[in-house]
Amino acid sequence: MRIVDARVIVTCPGRNFVTLKIVTSDGVTGVGDATLNGRELAVASYLNDHVVPTLIGRDASRIEDTWQYLYRGAYWRRGPVTMSAIAAVDTALWDIKGKVAGLPVYQLLGGRCRDGVTVYGHANAETVPEVLAEVARYVDLGYRAVRVQTAVPGLPATYGVGKDRMFYEPADAAIPTEATWSTERYLVHTPQVFAAVRDEFGPHLKLLHDAHHRLTPIEAARLGKDLEPYRLTWLEDPVPAELQEGFRLIRRHTTTPIAVGEVFNTIFDCQQLITEQLIDYVRTTVVRAGGISHLRRIFDLAALHHVRSGSHGATDLSPVCMAAALHVDLSIPNFGLQEYMRHTEATDAVFPHSYHFADGYLHPGEEPGLGVDIDESAAARYPYQPASLPVNRLTDGSMHNW
Ligand code: CS2
Ligand code: MG
């Protein structure tokens, strides 16, 4: 079975998505997500100009060989653009292999290890009373885990507090908007939020929080200690993770579990974090970390070191990525949680899929392959819209991490 065509489809049903569709000589097709928020056209170009020409004529069944060809053949290895492009090819080839076998991809990955994939939603609001109402809404929807984010008093706007409640799109302008940040205010406010949430909802609801790369290790240690009474399932991205050994300092001071990894694109970004058990959940995803093939390598290394999965699943990862993630989540022994920020109706119409939410779990469905596709005529109705992620400055104007 040869690859005879590969199309890169850029569409914007409310936000931009990049999808690779591979077509084989037998007429079987497969899809892969290649969306990189704010850098979508870079990945589209990498695919169109440097990957697709090499795919035509290749044997579609040779997933690992194709992965190695694209990874080693790049010479300039790693990075979010290259690895998102490789991810899209890998994911599409797994989709094809499942369809050819007549099996959902999770069956090719060893079958299910659990009944369903436990997901967490995003309760976000300006004030504590409002966020308590949002947490209650997610509990009423059946969620077993909820991420909690509020505005920080005294700051004009804060990461994670969106205009909409069910989905959050931070890429809000062609030229990055500028946000203002105060770690001091944030460190005072955040423990108060979780004191109120625990008081309202009791000890068993899984609670999570995303610090979004904004602290130093000692600040993260301070926050982790202050949050210990509220027993979070995880504190996410406390610090930027280029300096992996920096997490030793956090570990020395607090037992609050740490989750990191949504920006990682290969196993090397988290190898030390995992092997030294400096984190408790690794948040790497199908679309960012080289596809299903490489993501499984990361989760296998994590399984040896008591680290569980906690894959990113924000609105800017397409339903193609979400579908693929669920097949991996269902089949690995060390699954932790799956983020599930819903997509708009317009997005769901462009990406028909078989995954569905029930009783706090997502289920990928039993369709052969990934159980998702792209409706190319619907996609064509939504042309690309330039959009960038914000930047962040401290109150004195210094550049900070968004
Ligand atoms: C966040 C994301 O969902 C998360 O954990 O970190 O919303 C992130 O800000 C976006 O995916 C960036 O595009
Ligand atoms: Mg995050």
Side-chain angles (χ1 to χ4, degrees):
M1 177 187 295
R2 297 286 163 194
I3 296 171
V4 294
D5 188 20
R7 296 191 287 273
V8 180
I9 303 148
V10 181
T11 182
C12 188
R15 68 145 351 268
N16 294 307
F17 294 107
V18 181
T19 307
L20 176 71
K21 174 165 261 188
I22 291 179
V23 184
T24 68
S25 49
D26 300 33
V28 180
T29 63
V31 288
D33 186 14
T35 305
L36 179 60
N37 201 356
R39 297 292 182 270
E40 290 88 359
L41 297 188
V43 184
S45 165
Y46 191 102
L47 283 166
N48 272 320
D49 300 332
H50 307 296
V51 172
V52 166
T54 70
L55 294 179
I56 307 306
R58 284 189 67 88
D59 179 345
S61 69
R62 300 182 65 182
I63 300 176
E64 185 62 38
D65 180 65
T66 300
W67 197 97
Q68 296 295 334
Y69 174 86
L70 294 174
Y71 181 79
R72 298 167 189 262
Y75 186 76
W76 315 106
R77 296 181 182 190
R78 303 168 69 184
V81 173
T82 298
M83 297 314 293
S84 298
I86 293 175
V89 175
D90 183 83
T91 306
L93 294 181
W94 274 106
D95 192 15
I96 289 165
K97 195 173 279 288
K99 289 176 178 176
V100 169
L103 291 169
V105 167
Y106 78 82
Q107 293 288 15
L108 304 182
L109 302 177
R112 62 175 64 235
C113 280
R114 54 196 54 78
D115 298 333
V117 173
T118 303
V119 293
Y120 72 89
H122 280 213
N124 72 82
E126 290 290 331
T127 67
V128 173
E130 288 169 337
V131 89
L132 293 179
E134 283 302 298
V135 174
R137 197 154 67 86
Y138 276 91
V139 170
D140 291 346
L141 285 169
Y143 283 78
R144 303 161 188 262
V146 183
R147 189 186 90 162
V148 179
Q149 308 285 142
T150 71
V152 175
L155 294 182
T158 303
Y159 160 73
V161 181
K163 295 183 269 300
D164 217 305
R165 286 285 170 262
M166 288 309 278
F167 24 81
Y168 171 61
E169 180 42 68
D172 55 5
I175 300 301
T177 52
E178 301 222 349
T180 304
W181 178 252
S182 162
T183 296
E184 296 75 14
R185 289 176 178 275
Y186 168 76
L187 290 178
V188 169
H189 176 66
T190 302
Q192 297 167 359
V193 173
F194 284 92
V197 176
R198 269 295 173 233
D199 185 54
E200 179 81 8
F201 292 96
H204 301 300
L205 179 63
K206 290 179 186 288
L207 297 178
L208 308 99
H209 181 67
D210 192 346
H212 220 261
H213 324 277
R214 299 184 178 196
L215 306 178
T216 63
I218 200 66
E219 291 166 347
R222 151 67 63 213
L223 179 59
K225 278 173 75 75
D226 289 350
L227 290 173
E228 281 177 12
Y230 315 117
R231 305 177 78 86
L232 268 63
T233 297
W234 79 44
L235 173 61
E236 178 181 335
D237 282 336
V239 301
E242 290 94 331
L243 184 69
Q244 295 185 46
E245 61 263 32
F247 284 69
R248 291 177 188 150
L249 195 153
I250 306 172
R251 251 344 190 211
R252 273 204 291 276
H253 291 281
T254 181
T255 57
T256 292
I258 302 293
V260 180
E262 68 182 54
V263 300
F264 295 168
N265 52 77
T266 69
I267 198 166
F268 303 107
D269 294 329
C270 47
Q271 184 175 4
Q272 186 177 7
L273 291 170
I274 290 171
T275 54
E276 288 192 25
Q277 298 175 45
L278 299 177
I279 59 174
D280 303 278
Y281 297 86
V282 59
R283 289 192 27 84
T284 38
T285 66
V286 169
V287 63
R288 200 64 58 241
I292 291 171
S293 301
H294 194 64
L295 187 61
R296 280 164 42 93
R297 288 202 159 87
I298 294 172
F299 290 159
D300 286 347
L301 177 66
L304 299 179
H305 297 85
H306 305 294
V307 176
R308 284 174 281 183
S309 74
S311 287
H312 187 209
T315 307
D316 47 280
L317 284 62
S318 91
V320 173
C321 180
M322 180 54 73
L326 297 176
H327 289 276
V328 175
D329 291 338
L330 211 50
S331 62
I332 55 173
N334 56 322
F335 169 75
L337 276 177
Q338 170 64 52
E339 181 175 3
Y340 177 42
M341 281 171 83
R342 299 187 180 215
H343 291 102
T344 63
E345 282 180 20
T347 297
D348 287 341
V350 172
F351 296 97
H353 54 266
S354 61
Y355 64 80
H356 56 282
F357 179 80
D359 190 27
Y361 297 118
L362 267 181
H363 303 266
E366 295 300 319
E367 307 254 314
L370 296 175
V372 65
D373 203 343
I374 182 167
D375 177 335
E376 293 186 65
S377 54
R381 290 200 292 271
Y382 302 101
Y384 170 78
Q385 300 284 336
S388 300
L389 287 170
V391 298
N392 207 11
R393 290 184 183 272
L394 300 177
T395 49
D396 70 357
S398 309
M399 271 302 293
H400 197 58
N401 309 315
W402 175 72

